[in-house]
Amino acid sequence: MLFSQRKVLYLFIFISLLLSACIPTTPPSSPLESGANQGGNVDALVRAKCRRDGYEAFLAENGEYCFAHPLGYYQDVKSKPDAVMLRSNDDLFSLVSASEGLDGVILNSPEPAILQIQYEPINGGDTLLAFASRDPQNQISKDFIPWFLGDEDAWLVKVVDGSSISYITYAQHGNYYYTLSFNSLVSSPDTSVSATKLEKLFFAVSGSFTFLR
């Protein structure tokens, strides 16, 4: 009887060890893995907030924000986390149009549309509108329009200066002021192909811009 009880006990222990070996265990994540998980969370946010069919998603180098923009733009090599510049592929094509082609015909191309994004710390008790009013880019026009950037209230100004047109957005997020400048060299801002391209860039970025932190 005692021998049978021992057999049952040994059998129980054996089955317990076997089952415990089959159950997967999750080791504690390392700091590196935690960082990777956070990166995955950022990627999920970008997919949910900033991706649009037929557009390309842009994620800031420091992970502060993201947005969608039309295809055909690239980040300038001189960009920095606090001063990003997106250029159109038309920049490259315009270099070709400035010289004669092989058949002696001068190639024509639309002027490029450019997006510049900058941010800087808020200085003391300064207000957003006061900050925007001092910007040298908009000294021609002072007609500020209530606007938005992500979930933040913003100011928008349209500047037409000779052969150029700009849409400039100012917003405050956290302890920083953000300035988004959409620029294009055009001869007739309201009807040209370049103006249409600029507006497409402007509305795509404005409608998808999301602060991630």
Side-chain angles (χ1 to χ4, degrees):
M1 181 68 176
L2 183 60
F3 179 71
S4 298
Q5 289 178 345
R6 287 180 178 177
K7 285 180 62 178
V8 171
L9 178 61
Y10 292 153
L11 181 61
F12 175 77
I13 294 174
F14 175 76
I15 293 175
S16 298
L17 292 174
L18 183 62
L19 290 175
S20 63
C22 295
I23 298 174
T25 58
T26 303
S29 59
S30 65
L32 183 60
E33 290 170 335
S34 298
N37 290 335
Q38 292 176 4
N41 292 336
V42 170
D43 290 341
L45 277 175
V46 172
R47 287 194 299 271
K49 300 288 187 178
C50 296
R51 290 199 179 278
R52 302 288 189 277
D53 292 340
Y55 291 81
E56 186 173 349
F58 178 88
L59 173 63
E61 181 181 337
N62 55 9
E64 289 287 341
Y65 58 86
C66 65
F67 57 84
H69 62 80
L71 301 176
Y73 288 85
Y74 64 93
Q75 184 173 345
D76 189 272
V77 294
K78 296 181 180 179
S79 293
K80 300 179 293 184
D82 61 347
V84 173
M85 178 180 290
L86 287 189
R87 291 185 176 276
S88 167
N89 288 338
D90 287 338
D91 280 340
L92 303 177
F93 194 56
S94 293
L95 295 176
V96 178
S97 68
S99 61
E100 291 186 350
L102 296 177
D103 56 359
V105 177
I106 296 179
L107 302 175
N108 294 318
S109 67
E111 294 291 343
I114 300 172
L115 167 60
Q116 295 175 293
I117 302 176
Q118 297 179 318
Y119 68 86
E120 57 186 86
I122 296 174
N123 185 13
D126 203 5
T127 66
L128 178 60
L129 188 56
F131 168 79
S133 299
R134 290 195 304 271
D135 188 352
Q137 297 181 90
N138 63 36
Q139 295 309 301
I140 297 175
S141 174
K142 292 294 186 180
D143 296 327
F144 290 97
I145 303 170
W147 197 244
F148 60 89
L149 188 66
D151 294 328
E152 303 289 1
D153 292 331
W155 293 102
L156 169 67
V157 62
K158 178 180 179 180
V159 180
V160 180
D161 182 13
S163 61
S164 68
I165 179 173
S166 301
Y167 295 100
I168 310 174
T169 301
Y170 302 92
Q172 176 183 342
H173 180 71
N175 297 319
Y176 294 90
Y177 285 143
Y178 283 75
T179 303
L180 276 67
S181 303
F182 302 81
N183 308 300
S184 181
L185 297 176
V186 295
S187 55
S188 51
D190 296 326
T191 60
S192 72
V193 173
S194 296
T196 301
K197 182 175 182 178
L198 179 64
E199 290 178 356
K200 183 178 180 181
L201 174 65
F202 169 72
F203 284 110
V205 175
S206 297
S208 60
F209 195 100
T210 303
F211 289 107
L212 300 172
R213 297 181 181 176

